[in-house]
Structure formats: structure tokens, C-alpha cells
Amino acid sequence: GGDLFAAMEQWDGDDQPTRTAEELIAGLRQSWGIIRAALVEWSPADLAYTYPNDEPQPHRPEVFTRQWVIWHLIEHDIYHSGEISQILGANGITGVDL
């Protein structure tokens, strides 16, 4: 992701402004666009490529495959999409269509 991901890494910093809905949508489109482009190019063997876990934690693998990382991102988005859907529903707004 290069510069795009580097800029987005700062979004959670204490001194950062609250992002607008438009910024969040643009960020999701850009970040998932990068992943989509990679998946078009990668073979199953490429998905098995591993990265060391530089910050080992209990119940986490010692190495991460690209496939594990992508699935973990999907899990994360599914979880938060459910939270967003509940908040929207509680306010009479249609939830996220997954």
C-alpha cells in the first residue's frame, strides 16, 4: 500500500481529527482496492507466503501468511459492520448490506 497505508496508519493517533463518513468510505475503498488488486495477481502459493510475527502474543501464530492477514482483515470488518448495523437499526436506519 505504500504511501496510502502510511498516511492511513496515522488515523488512530490521539492528535488526529474524527474522520467524516466520506473519508471513512474513501479509506475503505482505497485499502480494499489494494487488496483486490493483489488477489487478482496472487496465486495460492503467493497467499501462503509468510511474514514473521515481530510482536508475538499468546494464541497468535509465530508467522503470518498473507491468507491469514487478509482473513483477519475481513473478520475485523465483519465485526465492526455488525456494530454499525446495530447502531443504524437502533436509529431507524437500514443496516449495512454485507
XYZ file of all heavy atoms in Angstrom:
783
model
N 0.788 -1.203 0.000
C 0.000 0.000 0.000
C 0.831 1.269 0.000
O 0.322 2.331 -0.306
N 2.092 1.171 0.365
C 2.996 2.313 0.300
C 2.497 3.541 1.044
O 2.063 3.472 2.189
N 2.565 4.690 0.356
C 2.219 5.972 0.973
C 0.769 6.021 1.444
O 0.460 6.654 2.453
C 2.478 7.114 -0.004
C 3.956 7.324 -0.282
O 4.780 6.865 0.533
O 4.282 7.940 -1.321
N -0.138 5.364 0.704
C -1.553 5.369 1.091
C -1.733 4.768 2.482
O -2.351 5.370 3.354
C -2.402 4.588 0.086
C -3.853 4.354 0.495
C -4.613 5.677 0.598
C -4.539 3.429 -0.478
N -1.166 3.574 2.698
C -1.301 2.944 4.007
C -0.532 3.716 5.075
O -0.980 3.805 6.213
C -0.844 1.493 3.975
C -1.876 0.543 3.425
C -1.488 -0.614 2.784
C -3.225 0.798 3.538
C -2.431 -1.503 2.284
C -4.174 -0.072 3.037
C -3.773 -1.225 2.410
N 0.599 4.266 4.715
C 1.381 5.037 5.689
C 0.563 6.218 6.204
O 0.553 6.501 7.405
C 2.682 5.507 5.064
N -0.143 6.902 5.319
C -0.976 8.033 5.737
C -2.140 7.567 6.602
O -2.484 8.208 7.596
C -1.493 8.776 4.505
N -2.745 6.431 6.244
C -3.899 5.933 6.991
C -3.503 5.384 8.355
O -4.334 5.338 9.264
C -4.630 4.871 6.165
C -5.307 5.472 4.945
S -5.990 4.249 3.839
C -7.475 3.813 4.723
N -2.249 4.978 8.530
C -1.780 4.494 9.831
C -1.944 5.550 10.911
O -2.126 5.231 12.079
C -0.293 4.112 9.758
C -0.035 2.684 9.418
C 1.462 2.378 9.466
O 2.181 2.934 10.324
O 1.897 1.577 8.632
N -1.872 6.797 10.523
C -1.946 7.904 11.475
C -3.369 8.197 11.927
O -3.568 8.949 12.884
C -1.341 9.160 10.843
C 0.062 8.971 10.316
C 1.027 8.433 11.360
O 1.041 8.897 12.490
N 1.822 7.444 11.001
N -4.365 7.658 11.259
C -5.768 7.980 11.536
C -6.166 7.738 12.989
O -7.031 8.413 13.510
C -6.692 7.183 10.619
C -6.813 7.757 9.243
C -5.924 8.575 8.611
C -7.872 7.539 8.331
N -6.374 8.877 7.353
C -7.571 8.252 7.157
C -9.041 6.803 8.385
C -8.410 8.254 6.052
C -9.871 6.801 7.274
C -9.562 7.527 6.132
N -5.580 6.753 13.642
C -5.964 6.417 15.007
C -5.174 7.172 16.070
O -5.376 6.956 17.258
C -5.808 4.910 15.251
C -6.877 4.099 14.553
O -7.956 4.643 14.276
O -6.629 2.906 14.278
N -4.282 8.044 15.653
C -3.465 8.785 16.608
C -4.304 9.703 17.487
O -5.363 10.193 17.082
N -3.828 9.933 18.693
C -4.549 10.771 19.660
C -4.791 12.180 19.144
O -5.782 12.815 19.489
C -3.787 10.835 20.978
C -3.798 9.509 21.726
O -4.709 8.684 21.475
O -2.900 9.298 22.549
N -3.885 12.688 18.337
C -3.997 14.071 17.872
C -4.721 14.200 16.530
O -4.748 15.274 15.941
C -2.605 14.699 17.765
C -1.700 13.942 16.800
O -1.999 12.775 16.473
O -0.681 14.524 16.383
N -5.319 13.105 16.067
C -5.984 13.112 14.767
C -7.451 13.521 14.884
O -8.108 13.218 15.880
C -5.891 11.721 14.122
C -4.483 11.326 13.743
C -3.924 12.222 12.657
O -4.532 12.394 11.609
N -2.767 12.813 12.916
N -7.968 14.172 13.848
C -9.377 14.570 13.878
C -10.289 13.357 13.663
O -9.863 12.330 13.138
C -9.495 15.532 12.691
C -8.427 15.072 11.744
C -7.300 14.588 12.622
N -11.530 13.503 14.076
C -12.533 12.485 13.790
C -12.764 12.487 12.284
O -12.927 13.552 11.683
C -13.841 12.797 14.537
O -13.554 12.816 15.939
C -14.909 11.755 14.238
N -12.762 11.316 11.685
C -12.936 11.212 10.231
C -14.406 11.335 9.861
O -15.288 10.837 10.571
C -12.386 9.886 9.723
C -10.922 9.661 10.039
C -10.043 10.675 9.337
N -8.700 10.623 9.898
C -7.719 11.403 9.508
N -7.914 12.304 8.580
N -6.543 11.304 10.066
N -14.642 11.961 8.724
C -16.008 12.071 8.225
C -16.419 10.748 7.592
O -15.568 9.901 7.278
C -16.123 13.171 7.155
O -15.350 12.782 6.010
C -15.640 14.515 7.685
N -17.715 10.576 7.382
C -18.205 9.372 6.701
C -17.566 9.242 5.327
O -17.170 8.145 4.915
C -19.727 9.411 6.588
N -17.437 10.360 4.618
C -16.836 10.334 3.289
C -15.381 9.873 3.334
O -14.937 9.100 2.483
C -16.938 11.714 2.624
C -18.348 12.119 2.256
C -19.158 12.657 3.446
O -18.571 12.986 4.501
O -20.394 12.718 3.326
N -14.638 10.335 4.340
C -13.243 9.908 4.479
C -13.155 8.417 4.794
O -12.285 7.716 4.254
C -12.555 10.702 5.582
C -12.266 12.146 5.226
C -11.687 12.908 6.395
O -12.318 12.936 7.482
O -10.603 13.492 6.219
N -14.031 7.938 5.674
C -14.017 6.510 6.010
C -14.342 5.657 4.792
O -13.690 4.638 4.542
C -14.996 6.225 7.147
C -14.654 6.851 8.492
C -15.774 6.619 9.484
C -13.332 6.333 9.017
N -15.343 6.067 4.032
C -15.713 5.319 2.827
C -14.558 5.316 1.843
O -14.205 4.271 1.284
C -16.997 5.907 2.201
C -18.196 5.619 3.104
C -17.225 5.356 0.792
C -19.444 6.413 2.760
N -13.954 6.471 1.623
C -12.817 6.550 0.695
C -11.666 5.672 1.177
O -11.035 4.960 0.380
C -12.361 8.003 0.545
N -11.393 5.688 2.484
C -10.316 4.860 3.033
C -10.576 3.377 2.830
O -9.674 2.616 2.461
N -11.817 2.942 3.073
C -12.150 1.530 2.867
C -12.039 1.152 1.400
O -11.516 0.089 1.056
C -13.556 1.228 3.392
C -13.679 1.151 4.910
C -15.144 1.149 5.322
C -12.950 -0.067 5.454
N -12.522 2.006 0.522
C -12.433 1.712 -0.917
C -10.982 1.621 -1.375
O -10.616 0.734 -2.136
C -13.179 2.768 -1.726
C -14.663 2.586 -1.665
C -15.381 3.471 -2.667
N -16.800 3.159 -2.634
C -17.753 4.058 -2.634
N -17.459 5.349 -2.690
N -19.011 3.690 -2.600
N -10.155 2.546 -0.908
C -8.748 2.537 -1.314
C -8.015 1.314 -0.767
O -7.303 0.628 -1.500
C -8.063 3.822 -0.842
C -8.532 5.047 -1.579
C -8.009 6.331 -0.956
O -7.621 6.379 0.210
N -8.010 7.400 -1.740
N -8.196 1.040 0.530
C -7.456 -0.070 1.136
C -7.914 -1.418 0.573
O -7.090 -2.279 0.253
C -7.570 -0.036 2.661
O -8.916 -0.121 3.071
N -9.217 -1.603 0.422
C -9.687 -2.873 -0.141
C -9.396 -2.968 -1.630
O -9.248 -4.062 -2.171
C -11.161 -3.104 0.182
C -11.306 -3.596 1.586
C -11.718 -2.887 2.664
C -10.969 -4.896 2.080
N -11.667 -3.665 3.801
C -11.207 -4.915 3.464
C -10.476 -6.056 1.476
C -10.982 -6.021 4.259
C -10.249 -7.177 2.270
C -10.504 -7.148 3.645
N -9.267 -1.829 -2.312
C -8.857 -1.844 -3.721
C -7.454 -2.401 -3.880
O -7.164 -3.150 -4.816
N -6.573 -2.053 -2.955
C -5.206 -2.579 -2.975
C -5.232 -4.090 -2.763
O -4.538 -4.847 -3.448
C -4.345 -1.878 -1.909
C -4.126 -0.416 -2.307
C -3.019 -2.600 -1.706
C -3.557 0.445 -1.193
N -6.041 -4.541 -1.821
C -6.137 -5.978 -1.550
C -6.738 -6.703 -2.748
O -6.264 -7.763 -3.157
C -6.938 -6.237 -0.260
C -6.149 -5.708 0.936
C -7.261 -7.724 -0.097
C -6.912 -5.664 2.235
N -7.790 -6.142 -3.333
C -8.406 -6.746 -4.517
C -7.385 -6.892 -5.648
O -7.294 -7.943 -6.276
C -9.588 -5.915 -4.987
C -10.244 -6.492 -6.247
C -11.382 -5.649 -6.744
N -12.419 -5.620 -5.729
C -13.265 -4.626 -5.556
N -13.216 -3.559 -6.323
N -14.181 -4.683 -4.617
N -6.611 -5.849 -5.881
C -5.596 -5.899 -6.941
C -4.566 -6.992 -6.664
O -4.145 -7.714 -7.585
C -4.922 -4.539 -7.084
N -4.166 -7.136 -5.404
C -3.201 -8.183 -5.054
C -3.793 -9.568 -5.273
O -3.135 -10.454 -5.820
C -2.752 -8.026 -3.600
N -5.059 -9.761 -4.870
C -5.687 -11.078 -5.017
C -5.841 -11.480 -6.477
O -5.785 -12.664 -6.806
C -7.037 -11.112 -4.304
C -6.955 -11.111 -2.784
C -8.337 -10.961 -2.173
C -6.270 -12.369 -2.267
N -6.019 -10.508 -7.348
C -6.101 -10.806 -8.785
C -4.760 -11.351 -9.283
O -4.719 -12.243 -10.118
C -6.509 -9.536 -9.572
C -6.283 -9.703 -11.057
C -7.953 -9.172 -9.274
N -3.679 -10.835 -8.713
C -2.334 -11.208 -9.155
C -1.784 -12.452 -8.463
O -1.018 -13.204 -9.052
C -1.361 -10.047 -8.911
C -1.692 -8.799 -9.682
C -1.445 -8.940 -11.174
O -0.477 -9.619 -11.557
O -2.243 -8.374 -11.943
N -2.146 -12.668 -7.208
C -1.524 -13.718 -6.413
C -2.078 -15.096 -6.733
O -3.271 -15.278 -6.950
C -1.717 -13.464 -4.923
C -0.905 -12.323 -4.388
C 0.170 -11.721 -4.974
C -1.109 -11.645 -3.153
N 0.649 -10.716 -4.180
C -0.120 -10.641 -3.048
C -2.022 -11.794 -2.129
C -0.020 -9.800 -1.959
C -1.928 -10.941 -1.040
C -0.929 -9.964 -0.953
N -1.195 -16.077 -6.680
C -1.563 -17.488 -6.795
C -1.789 -18.034 -5.384
O -1.457 -17.368 -4.394
C -0.413 -18.257 -7.459
O 0.707 -18.288 -6.581
N -2.314 -19.264 -5.272
C -2.411 -19.869 -3.933
C -1.059 -19.930 -3.216
O -0.993 -19.717 -2.004
C -2.976 -21.261 -4.214
C -3.807 -21.054 -5.450
C -3.008 -20.069 -6.282
N 0.003 -20.170 -3.976
C 1.332 -20.199 -3.352
C 1.699 -18.818 -2.804
O 2.319 -18.715 -1.739
C 2.375 -20.662 -4.359
N 1.318 -17.759 -3.513
C 1.587 -16.406 -3.024
C 0.840 -16.134 -1.726
O 1.349 -15.439 -0.846
C 1.178 -15.361 -4.060
C 2.049 -15.388 -5.309
O 3.258 -15.677 -5.198
O 1.501 -15.125 -6.397
N -0.374 -16.672 -1.602
C -1.146 -16.491 -0.367
C -0.507 -17.212 0.809
O -0.736 -16.853 1.964
C -2.583 -16.974 -0.551
C -3.469 -16.066 -1.394
C -4.782 -16.767 -1.714
C -3.718 -14.749 -0.691
N 0.297 -18.220 0.538
C 0.971 -18.968 1.597
C 2.277 -18.302 2.044
O 2.898 -18.744 3.010
C 1.247 -20.392 1.131
N 2.680 -17.240 1.356
C 3.900 -16.518 1.731
C 3.783 -16.073 3.187
O 2.728 -15.614 3.620
C 4.087 -15.305 0.812
C 5.359 -14.546 1.069
C 6.541 -14.923 0.462
C 5.377 -13.456 1.932
C 7.718 -14.228 0.696
C 6.545 -12.752 2.180
C 7.709 -13.145 1.556
O 8.868 -12.467 1.801
N 4.871 -16.198 3.947
C 4.807 -15.897 5.380
C 5.640 -14.680 5.765
O 6.634 -14.359 5.116
C 5.275 -17.091 6.234
O 6.633 -17.394 5.907
C 4.392 -18.296 6.022
N 5.173 -14.053 6.837
C 5.869 -12.933 7.479
C 6.052 -13.298 8.937
O 5.137 -13.828 9.564
C 5.027 -11.650 7.405
C 4.714 -11.205 6.000
C 3.561 -11.645 5.354
C 5.569 -10.356 5.326
C 3.276 -11.234 4.064
C 5.285 -9.935 4.038
C 4.127 -10.371 3.417
O 3.852 -9.972 2.144
N 7.217 -12.989 9.518
C 7.398 -13.299 10.940
C 6.512 -12.409 11.810
O 6.234 -11.265 11.467
C 8.877 -13.010 11.181
C 9.268 -12.041 10.116
C 8.387 -12.346 8.928
N 6.080 -12.962 12.914
C 5.326 -12.192 13.900
C 6.347 -11.507 14.800
O 6.925 -12.125 15.680
C 4.404 -13.113 14.704
C 3.572 -12.372 15.710
O 3.752 -11.184 15.928
N 2.655 -13.081 16.339
N 6.563 -10.222 14.563
C 7.581 -9.479 15.319
C 7.141 -9.120 16.726
O 7.953 -8.687 17.535
C 7.956 -8.195 14.564
C 8.653 -8.488 13.250
O 9.291 -9.552 13.125
O 8.546 -7.655 12.329
N 5.850 -9.273 17.013
C 5.324 -8.977 18.347
C 4.471 -10.152 18.808
O 3.253 -10.057 18.870
C 4.504 -7.687 18.309
C 5.313 -6.472 17.922
C 4.482 -5.207 17.838
O 3.357 -5.186 18.387
O 4.959 -4.256 17.223
N 5.120 -11.282 19.133
C 4.360 -12.475 19.495
C 3.455 -12.237 20.705
O 3.821 -11.535 21.637
C 5.419 -13.519 19.807
C 6.732 -12.859 19.705
C 6.548 -11.455 19.235
N 2.263 -12.808 20.613
C 1.283 -12.740 21.687
C 0.710 -14.137 21.875
O 0.726 -14.945 20.940
C 0.155 -11.773 21.329
C 0.608 -10.353 21.103
C -0.524 -9.483 20.575
O -1.685 -9.865 20.587
N -0.175 -8.309 20.101
N 0.181 -14.422 23.056
C -0.441 -15.737 23.247
C -1.561 -15.950 22.224
O -2.277 -15.016 21.867
C -1.009 -15.659 24.668
C -0.251 -14.565 25.334
C 0.132 -13.597 24.252
N -1.674 -17.149 21.757
C -2.727 -17.563 20.821
C -2.601 -16.897 19.449
O -3.588 -16.812 18.718
C -4.124 -17.330 21.409
C -4.285 -17.859 22.791
N -4.244 -19.221 23.062
C -4.441 -17.239 23.975
C -4.387 -19.401 24.358
N -4.505 -18.218 24.937
N -1.440 -16.423 19.114
C -1.182 -15.859 17.788
C -0.087 -16.695 17.128
O 0.831 -17.166 17.793
C -0.706 -14.400 17.868
C -1.750 -13.429 18.303
C -2.784 -13.280 17.191
N -3.825 -12.357 17.590
C -4.254 -11.389 16.829
N -3.768 -11.210 15.638
N -5.216 -10.608 17.253
N -0.156 -16.844 15.815
C 0.880 -17.639 15.145
C 2.253 -16.968 15.205
O 2.353 -15.748 15.357
C 0.374 -17.723 13.698
C -0.655 -16.672 13.545
C -1.168 -16.342 14.909
N 3.289 -17.793 15.082
C 4.653 -17.259 15.057
C 4.954 -16.591 13.727
O 5.816 -15.718 13.637
C 5.660 -18.380 15.328
C 5.589 -18.886 16.754
C 6.647 -19.933 17.040
O 7.682 -19.957 16.347
O 6.418 -20.726 17.964
N 4.269 -17.049 12.690
C 4.368 -16.417 11.373
C 2.955 -16.201 10.853
O 2.023 -16.919 11.221
C 5.177 -17.271 10.361
C 6.618 -17.413 10.785
C 4.545 -18.617 10.131
N 2.819 -15.188 10.028
C 1.533 -14.903 9.412
C 1.627 -15.169 7.923
O 2.589 -14.748 7.283
C 1.139 -13.435 9.608
C 0.981 -13.028 11.036
C 1.889 -12.177 11.635
C -0.097 -13.478 11.776
C 1.725 -11.777 12.951
C -0.268 -13.095 13.098
C 0.646 -12.239 13.684
N 0.638 -15.857 7.374
C 0.571 -15.975 5.924
C -0.235 -14.787 5.396
O -1.013 -14.169 6.122
C -0.129 -17.277 5.473
O -1.502 -17.243 5.921
C 0.586 -18.514 6.024
N -0.055 -14.504 4.114
C -0.878 -13.454 3.507
C -2.359 -13.808 3.643
O -3.186 -12.937 3.892
C -0.511 -13.306 2.035
C 0.802 -12.612 1.807
C 1.133 -12.575 0.334
N 2.279 -11.720 0.081
C 3.009 -11.790 -1.009
N 2.711 -12.654 -1.958
N 4.032 -10.977 -1.175
N -2.661 -15.083 3.473
C -4.055 -15.522 3.583
C -4.600 -15.234 4.978
O -5.715 -14.750 5.131
C -4.155 -17.011 3.267
C -5.561 -17.547 3.347
C -5.632 -19.007 2.920
O -4.757 -19.513 2.247
N -6.689 -19.678 3.322
N -3.813 -15.507 6.027
C -4.249 -15.258 7.399
C -4.509 -13.767 7.597
O -5.513 -13.381 8.203
C -3.191 -15.742 8.393
C -3.626 -15.635 9.818
C -4.221 -16.597 10.573
C -3.538 -14.471 10.666
N -4.498 -16.119 11.838
C -4.094 -14.818 11.918
C -3.046 -13.185 10.493
C -4.161 -13.920 12.980
C -3.125 -12.292 11.555
C -3.675 -12.666 12.783
N -3.608 -12.922 7.097
C -3.748 -11.476 7.266
C -5.022 -10.982 6.599
O -5.799 -10.226 7.192
C -2.510 -10.734 6.726
C -2.736 -9.232 6.699
C -1.270 -11.084 7.548
N -5.274 -11.427 5.363
C -6.470 -10.989 4.643
C -7.726 -11.459 5.359
O -8.674 -10.698 5.539
C -6.434 -11.439 3.178
C -5.328 -10.659 2.455
C -7.788 -11.240 2.498
C -5.018 -11.158 1.072
N -7.748 -12.708 5.802
C -8.924 -13.193 6.521
C -9.125 -12.404 7.812
O -10.242 -12.067 8.185
C -8.860 -14.691 6.812
C -10.031 -15.104 7.648
C -10.022 -15.540 8.936
C -11.417 -15.027 7.277
N -11.299 -15.758 9.385
C -12.182 -15.451 8.383
C -12.081 -14.650 6.120
C -13.567 -15.505 8.367
C -13.469 -14.702 6.108
C -14.194 -15.135 7.218
N -8.047 -12.093 8.512
C -8.156 -11.330 9.754
C -8.761 -9.946 9.473
O -9.586 -9.454 10.256
C -6.786 -11.208 10.415
C -6.829 -10.595 11.765
N -7.351 -11.236 12.860
C -6.440 -9.377 12.194
C -7.267 -10.448 13.912
N -6.719 -9.306 13.536
N -8.386 -9.325 8.373
C -8.973 -8.030 7.995
C -10.469 -8.176 7.712
O -11.267 -7.332 8.108
C -8.269 -7.463 6.761
C -6.828 -7.006 6.979
C -6.167 -6.700 5.646
C -6.787 -5.796 7.890
N -10.836 -9.256 7.015
C -12.253 -9.494 6.725
C -13.026 -9.690 8.026
O -14.098 -9.107 8.216
C -12.418 -10.704 5.785
C -11.853 -10.367 4.403
C -13.883 -11.137 5.688
C -11.708 -11.568 3.479
N -12.482 -10.508 8.934
C -13.133 -10.715 10.244
C -13.344 -9.397 10.968
O -14.398 -9.149 11.556
C -12.253 -11.599 11.138
C -12.306 -13.050 10.895
C -11.434 -13.779 11.912
O -10.271 -13.386 12.122
O -11.946 -14.744 12.502
N -12.341 -8.564 10.943
C -12.401 -7.260 11.599
C -13.524 -6.413 11.012
O -14.325 -5.832 11.743
C -11.045 -6.567 11.440
C -10.955 -5.246 12.104
N -11.160 -4.070 11.437
C -10.665 -4.914 13.381
C -11.011 -3.063 12.276
N -10.704 -3.542 13.466
N -13.585 -6.362 9.690
C -14.631 -5.561 9.042
C -16.025 -6.135 9.289
O -16.978 -5.380 9.480
C -14.361 -5.444 7.542
C -13.298 -4.394 7.235
O -12.703 -3.841 8.180
O -13.069 -4.128 6.048
N -16.147 -7.451 9.301
C -17.448 -8.072 9.583
C -17.909 -7.691 10.992
O -19.059 -7.313 11.199
C -17.384 -9.605 9.426
C -17.226 -9.981 7.950
C -18.608 -10.277 10.022
C -16.905 -11.456 7.728
N -17.022 -7.786 11.940
C -17.353 -7.464 13.332
C -17.854 -6.023 13.437
O -18.913 -5.753 14.013
C -16.122 -7.675 14.213
C -16.325 -7.285 15.652
C -16.942 -8.150 16.542
C -15.915 -6.038 16.111
C -17.143 -7.794 17.870
C -16.104 -5.669 17.439
C -16.722 -6.551 18.309
O -16.916 -6.186 19.607
N -17.076 -5.094 12.888
C -17.463 -3.687 13.011
C -18.676 -3.349 12.150
O -19.458 -2.466 12.513
C -16.279 -2.781 12.703
C -15.248 -2.808 13.789
N -15.507 -2.383 15.073
C -13.968 -3.235 13.794
C -14.437 -2.540 15.819
N -13.484 -3.060 15.070
N -18.869 -4.050 11.042
C -20.086 -3.838 10.242
C -21.319 -4.213 11.048
O -22.353 -3.548 10.948
C -20.037 -4.661 8.955
O -19.014 -4.202 8.116
N -21.211 -5.266 11.844
C -22.318 -5.649 12.723
C -22.605 -4.578 13.750
O -23.768 -4.245 14.015
N -21.553 -4.015 14.342
C -21.741 -2.930 15.306
C -22.421 -1.727 14.649
O -23.355 -1.142 15.208
C -20.391 -2.467 15.862
C -19.731 -3.437 16.806
C -18.407 -2.896 17.306
O -17.658 -2.271 16.532
O -18.135 -3.101 18.492
N -21.945 -1.367 13.476
C -22.524 -0.223 12.761
C -23.978 -0.497 12.426
O -24.842 0.376 12.578
C -21.694 0.096 11.498
C -20.316 0.630 11.898
C -22.425 1.083 10.592
C -19.309 0.690 10.767
N -24.277 -1.715 11.989
C -25.658 -2.067 11.653
C -26.577 -1.952 12.859
O -27.721 -1.504 12.744
C -25.724 -3.484 11.073
O -25.183 -3.505 9.779
N -26.099 -2.371 14.021
C -26.911 -2.256 15.232
C -27.188 -0.798 15.575
O -28.310 -0.436 15.942
C -26.228 -2.952 16.410
C -26.298 -4.449 16.320
C -25.718 -5.092 17.574
O -24.738 -4.634 18.128
N -26.367 -6.164 18.014
N -26.192 0.037 15.467
C -26.367 1.468 15.767
C -27.344 2.090 14.766
O -28.251 2.833 15.155
C -25.010 2.207 15.739
C -24.146 1.729 16.909
C -25.211 3.726 15.782
C -22.680 2.150 16.816
N -27.165 1.767 13.489
C -28.090 2.294 12.483
C -29.512 1.823 12.743
O -30.447 2.618 12.728
C -27.628 1.885 11.077
C -26.332 2.515 10.576
C -25.896 1.856 9.273
C -26.468 4.024 10.405
N -29.667 0.521 13.005
C -31.000 -0.037 13.256
C -31.672 0.593 14.463
O -32.863 0.858 14.458
N -30.891 0.841 15.502
C -31.439 1.473 16.705
C -31.927 2.888 16.422
O -32.736 3.430 17.176
C -30.380 1.500 17.807
N -31.440 3.463 15.326
C -31.849 4.814 14.950
C -32.772 4.823 13.743
O -32.956 5.853 13.099
C -30.608 5.669 14.678
C -29.883 6.005 15.957
O -30.299 6.865 16.715
N -28.793 5.294 16.232
N -33.359 3.652 13.446
C -34.339 3.571 12.370
C -33.761 3.637 10.974
O -34.478 3.930 10.006
N -32.474 3.344 10.825
C -31.795 3.405 9.529
C -31.415 1.984 9.126
O -30.975 1.186 9.960
C -30.538 4.298 9.604
C -30.930 5.701 10.074
C -29.820 4.338 8.262
C -29.740 6.579 10.432
N -31.561 1.660 7.860
C -31.202 0.340 7.364
C -29.721 0.056 7.618
O -28.875 0.911 7.360
C -31.490 0.221 5.849
O -32.875 0.516 5.644
C -31.167 -1.163 5.322
N -29.439 -1.154 8.083
C -28.070 -1.552 8.397
C -27.230 -1.820 7.163
O -27.675 -1.694 6.030
N -25.988 -2.221 7.415
C -25.017 -2.499 6.364
C -25.409 -3.775 5.629
O -25.715 -4.783 6.245
C -23.598 -2.650 6.978
C -22.586 -3.005 5.928
C -23.206 -1.372 7.715
N -25.382 -3.719 4.309
C -25.689 -4.891 3.479
C -24.385 -5.595 3.136
O -23.603 -5.114 2.322
C -26.413 -4.464 2.208
C -26.761 -5.636 1.300
O -26.712 -6.798 1.767
O -27.083 -5.393 0.131
N -24.130 -6.711 3.817
C -22.913 -7.464 3.540
C -23.190 -8.476 2.464
O -22.446 -9.203 2.015
C -22.399 -8.140 4.817
C -22.001 -7.194 5.933
C -21.605 -7.981 7.165
C -20.856 -6.291 5.512
